Amino acid sequence: MSEDSVKTSAEASTNHTVQSSKAALSRQIKEQAQRIDELTALIQQKEQELIGLSGQAHLMDELTHKLQKTETAMQLANAQVQAKSHLIDELTGTLKEKEQQIMTAAEHAQLIDDLTAKLQEVEIKLVAASLQGKHSNAQNTVKTHMVSGMALGLLPAPLFDIMALSAVQLNLLRSLCNHYSVDFDEQLGKGIVSSLISGSLPVLTVLGLSSFAKLIPGIGTVGGGLSMTALAGAAIYAAGQVFIRHFEAGGTLQDFDSKHWQAFFKQQLEEGKAFVRNKLDTAGTTKIGA
């Protein structure tokens, strides 16, 4: 084989090798470029994911901050609830104490009411007893003056016994005024006694006739004296009952109205006659027995 053929064959082989190398290098470069594009796209994707993750991290930070604020608010609310619960406990305790105090106060008030009622009852009884005692003493005063008046009826001097009877009634009025703490005026008292007796004409007439009967010889003094005794006692009794009723009602000499008391005076006069007759009959029976 000639030298030129060998050279040509070597060159051809070299060219083929170069071409093959170029083709292989071209393919490798192309594959690498494709790989670079894939990696670039992957990097962009990862960057987007990273951006998304950054946004989520910011959101998480906001949520964490809000959660912390919420926890702080809850802690504050719990503290306020505990404080209010403690205050409620204190108020409840205070309320219970107040309720006990109210119950105690109510018991005290009830006790005070009971004691007050008992005190009023005792006071009423004492007043009633005092009034009853005062009334009894006043009645005894009337009876004492009745005895004096009845004794005057036995005086033999006509008309003098009537004057003496008026004096006894005036003295009775004075005694009852002192007994009931009523101001006494003698002139006003004389007018009251006179108007009270003169308001009952039959009484005044009978008293006058009984007094004049003593002028009759023989039995005049005895008969007239007995009649005068009965009427004098009855008149003093009736006047005494009028004055007692008037003073126990809170009356005075200044507001005494004889016309208002005329009917009551006549009624008491009849009771006085019965009272005197009973006393005279009892005295007569005692003498006979003796």
Side-chain angles (χ1 to χ4, degrees):
M1 184 176 218
S2 64
E3 184 178 351
D4 291 335
S5 297
V6 172
K7 186 178 180 179
T8 301
S9 177
E11 289 178 352
S13 178
T14 300
N15 288 334
H16 179 72
T17 301
V18 170
Q19 290 295 328
S20 296
S21 298
K22 287 182 177 180
L25 181 60
S26 177
R27 285 195 302 273
Q28 185 178 2
I29 292 172
K30 187 176 181 180
E31 290 175 356
Q32 289 178 351
Q34 184 178 0
R35 182 62 179 170
I36 289 171
D37 290 338
E38 290 176 355
L39 291 174
T40 300
L42 182 60
I43 290 171
Q44 291 177 350
Q45 181 182 355
K46 295 300 181 181
E47 288 178 349
Q48 292 295 327
E49 291 177 358
L50 183 60
I51 291 172
L53 290 174
S54 298
Q56 292 178 357
H58 179 68
L59 179 61
M60 288 297 294
D61 291 339
E62 290 182 352
L63 291 176
T64 301
H65 181 66
K66 289 181 178 180
L67 181 60
Q68 291 176 348
K69 289 177 66 177
T70 302
E71 290 178 350
T72 302
M74 290 181 65
Q75 291 176 354
L76 180 61
N78 288 331
Q80 292 178 349
V81 169
Q82 291 178 355
K84 290 181 178 180
S85 177
H86 181 66
L87 180 60
I88 290 173
D89 292 339
E90 290 181 350
L91 292 175
T92 302
T94 303
L95 181 60
K96 289 182 180 180
E97 292 179 0
K98 295 295 183 182
E99 288 177 349
Q100 292 178 352
Q101 292 176 359
I102 290 173
M103 291 179 62
T104 304
E107 293 173 353
H108 289 169
Q110 183 62 40
L111 179 60
I112 291 173
D113 291 341
D114 293 340
L115 292 176
T116 301
K118 290 182 180 179
L119 180 60
Q120 289 176 347
E121 182 180 353
V122 171
E123 288 179 347
I124 290 172
K125 289 181 179 179
L126 288 174
V127 171
S130 176
L131 291 176
Q132 182 63 33
K134 204 165 190 177
H135 183 80
S136 298
N137 291 334
Q139 293 294 346
N140 289 333
T141 300
V142 172
K143 291 177 182 179
T144 300
H145 284 78
M146 284 179 64
V147 173
S148 299
M150 291 168 67
L152 292 175
L154 298 176
L155 292 176
L159 299 181
F160 177 76
D161 48 5
I162 296 179
M163 295 174 60
L165 177 61
S166 298
V168 171
Q169 288 181 324
L170 181 62
N171 188 62
L172 170 63
L173 179 57
R174 179 187 293 104
S175 298
L176 292 177
C177 283
N178 292 333
H179 183 68
Y180 287 103
S181 299
V182 175
D183 293 335
F184 177 75
D185 181 89
E186 186 167 356
Q187 294 301 321
L188 183 58
K190 289 180 179 179
I192 289 174
V193 170
S194 177
S195 62
L196 187 62
I197 299 299
S198 63
S200 181
L201 291 177
V203 177
L204 188 61
T205 301
V206 173
L207 283 173
L209 292 176
S210 298
S211 180
F212 277 108
K214 297 177 182 180
L215 296 175
I216 300 175
I219 63 171
T221 300
V222 177
L226 293 176
S227 177
M228 185 68 182
T229 296
L231 287 174
I236 293 173
Y237 176 86
Q241 301 311 310
V242 169
F243 296 143
I244 289 174
R245 181 71 65 88
H246 179 66
F247 292 150
E248 288 184 349
T252 64
L253 294 184
Q254 285 71 22
D255 61 9
F256 185 85
D257 184 3
S258 59
K259 292 182 180 180
H260 172 75
W261 291 103
Q262 286 301 319
F264 182 72
F265 176 80
K266 292 178 182 179
Q267 175 188 347
Q268 295 302 308
L269 185 65
E270 295 302 319
E271 291 186 7
K273 289 178 181 178
F275 179 80
V276 171
R277 282 196 299 269
N278 182 54
K279 289 296 181 181
L280 292 176
D281 291 342
T282 302
T285 303
T286 302
K287 288 182 179 180
I288 292 173

